[in-house]
Amino acid sequence: MPAGSTAIVYCEDQFGEQDGKTANGLVRHSQKYEILSVLDSRHAGLDSGAFLDGVANGIPVLADLHQAIAHAGHVPDYLICGVAPADGLLSDAQRVVLLDGIARGMHIINGLHEFLNDDAEFVAAALLAQVTITDVRRPKDTRDLHLFSGRIFDVTCPKIAVLGTDGAIGKRTTATLLVQAMNAHGIRAVMVGTGQTTLIQGGKYGAALDALVPQFISGEVEHQMVLAFENESPDVIVVEGQGALSHPAYLSSGHILRGSRPDGVIVQHAPKRRVLGDFPMMPMPTAASEIKLIEAFADTRVIGVTINHEEMSPDEIDDAIAVHRLELGLPVTDPLTRPAADLVEMVLAAFPELAPELTTVRS
């Protein structure tokens, strides 16, 4: 697609929520699209960045597609489905909005498990409007998938996985910020994505793991890690986590640990969550219990913890960082409210060979 393609992100009733994580991620970071606005009538009139992170980004939240097109001054190139429900399916109301976008001449980017290219109504509408539908989660043909081969052992740079204690807890955001921060400090870092949002954002390496046959998941993780290593010659590779190793419904973390063979793991945790996001019958694990499970499951070590500050005041963030640092004996930071250099220091403390002097990060 052309560089700088314009896009509207549809996220009705979910922006800023766990099931709006695709939209949340796109307004924070997008290499592939120029995001013009977000659709969510609940928060219409707000700046999306100010709403999410307290820092305006100039991307407004608007009530509907009509307003978004009027704001753009033209029909944008793409309408991106920014919701990510656990079942990965469209509701009837969501179908109406995406079909309206097609009728107006917008290409559709769909990250759900429901493939719209298999839906007769969407296929007919796209043909009539002469637009395309991209089902991001559709896996490659089986003949093009990879089994675990052991090639990961040829990857000689440090490998870091950003895992967590729940789904939709900020693993992708932390991984993205970590890669950006290390590159800004002269450490060549590359990210390997494992979910649909990273692919929509324009990630060069990755696969939507939860859409793959389980037999190939660890092999696909390994394959993307090897590609990133061979093509980019990085100093470090960061792989995005999925779900949680302890999660009863999402098992991708196990495949990520097996396929990427990380030398270090960063654990993302939301101290205020009491139950799992989409599974309220399940209590949240602690950071300590998740660390114990990860280190028992894989030949790796947890090198730090990152805090998701949802529902927390500034004082509570301070307390959570201090308590977890004392309890775990590990570096702890909040990637969104603390300096990016804290993330770099976390990595350099575990892998000092990446920089001759740790103190140079603060200079």
Side-chain angles (χ1 to χ4, degrees):
M1 66 190 60
S5 296
T6 55
I8 294 169
V9 182
Y10 171 70
C11 196
E12 177 62 30
D13 205 38
Q14 295 299 325
F15 187 57
E17 305 292 337
Q18 292 177 36
D19 285 355
K21 65 179 184 179
T22 297
N24 303 341
L26 283 165
V27 300
R28 287 176 171 141
H29 173 71
S30 178
Q31 298 170 271
K32 186 179 289 188
Y33 306 100
E34 179 188 354
I35 306 301
L36 302 181
S37 60
V38 176
L39 305 186
D40 186 342
S41 60
R42 293 187 311 161
H43 305 298
L46 300 178
D47 178 276
S48 61
F51 173 71
L52 278 184
D53 302 317
V55 180
N57 61 11
I59 301 173
V61 183
L62 301 174
D64 55 35
L65 197 55
H66 176 76
Q67 282 190 13
I69 293 173
H71 170 266
H74 61 91
V75 176
D77 302 311
Y78 289 87
L79 178 59
I80 302 174
C81 183
V83 295
D87 62 9
L89 302 175
L90 281 177
S91 69
D92 290 342
Q94 291 165 345
R95 288 178 63 91
V96 169
V97 176
L98 296 187
L99 286 166
D100 185 22
I102 290 174
R104 294 171 184 266
M106 301 175 72
H107 304 282
I108 300 297
I109 303 297
N110 167 43
L112 301 178
H113 284 299
E114 181 177 5
F115 300 148
L116 301 184
N117 280 297
D118 295 340
D119 185 302
E121 184 176 16
F122 274 91
V123 171
L127 285 171
L128 184 64
Q130 296 185 316
V131 300
T132 60
I133 298 172
T134 302
D135 291 315
V136 177
R137 263 183 168 134
R138 187 184 289 277
K140 297 178 291 187
D141 290 341
T142 304
R143 69 177 67 252
D144 296 322
L145 296 175
H146 298 82
L147 292 171
F148 184 81
S149 67
R151 293 182 67 207
I152 193 66
F153 299 116
D154 297 327
V155 176
T156 55
C157 69
K159 307 177 295 293
I160 299 170
V162 180
L163 305 184
T165 52
D166 192 8
I169 203 168
K171 298 179 291 291
R172 182 195 67 255
T173 297
T174 292
T176 300
L177 292 172
L178 174 59
V179 167
Q180 291 173 345
M182 286 194 291
N183 278 295
H185 284 87
I187 302 168
R188 182 162 175 71
V190 176
M191 180 168 164
V192 170
T194 56
Q196 76 277 10
T197 303
T198 304
L199 298 178
I200 295 172
Q201 288 174 317
K204 188 174 180 181
Y205 301 99
L209 302 187
D210 60 3
L212 296 177
V213 175
Q215 185 171 354
F216 296 101
I217 298 179
S218 63
E220 281 298 300
V221 173
E222 177 191 48
H223 178 64
Q224 294 298 322
M225 298 285 288
V226 171
L227 282 180
F229 179 67
E230 292 180 344
N231 293 345
E232 309 295 337
S233 299
D235 298 316
V236 61
I237 300 175
V238 177
V239 58
E240 170 196 11
Q242 292 294 320
L245 188 59
S246 61
H247 203 291
Y250 306 137
L251 303 180
S252 298
S253 288
H255 294 284
I256 291 168
L257 285 165
R258 291 290 188 248
S260 70
R261 311 289 296 194
D263 303 290
V265 172
I266 294 172
V267 173
Q268 178 96 0
H269 181 57
K272 282 285 189 174
R273 286 195 195 181
R274 295 291 173 258
V275 296
L276 296 181
D278 288 321
F279 300 86
M281 77 295 294
M282 298 298 300
M284 275 284 291
T286 64
S289 68
E290 197 72 20
I291 290 169
K292 183 177 180 180
L293 182 62
I294 289 167
E295 292 184 339
F297 181 82
D299 182 16
T300 191
R301 58 181 172 136
V302 173
I303 64 171
V305 170
T306 46
I307 297 296
N308 176 323
H309 61 255
E310 62 187 24
E311 308 298 332
M312 299 175 73
S313 68
D315 286 344
E316 288 174 322
I317 300 171
D318 290 340
D319 290 344
I321 290 173
V323 166
H324 283 82
R325 185 181 292 145
L326 180 63
E327 175 189 353
L328 302 171
L330 292 169
V332 182
T333 190
D334 175 353
L336 289 173
T337 67
R338 297 298 187 271
D342 288 357
L343 287 171
V344 182
E345 284 190 7
M346 183 183 289
V347 171
L348 293 183
F351 304 101
E353 68 272 18
L354 291 174
E357 295 291 340
L358 184 62
T359 53
T360 59
V361 180
R362 289 293 190 183
S363 61

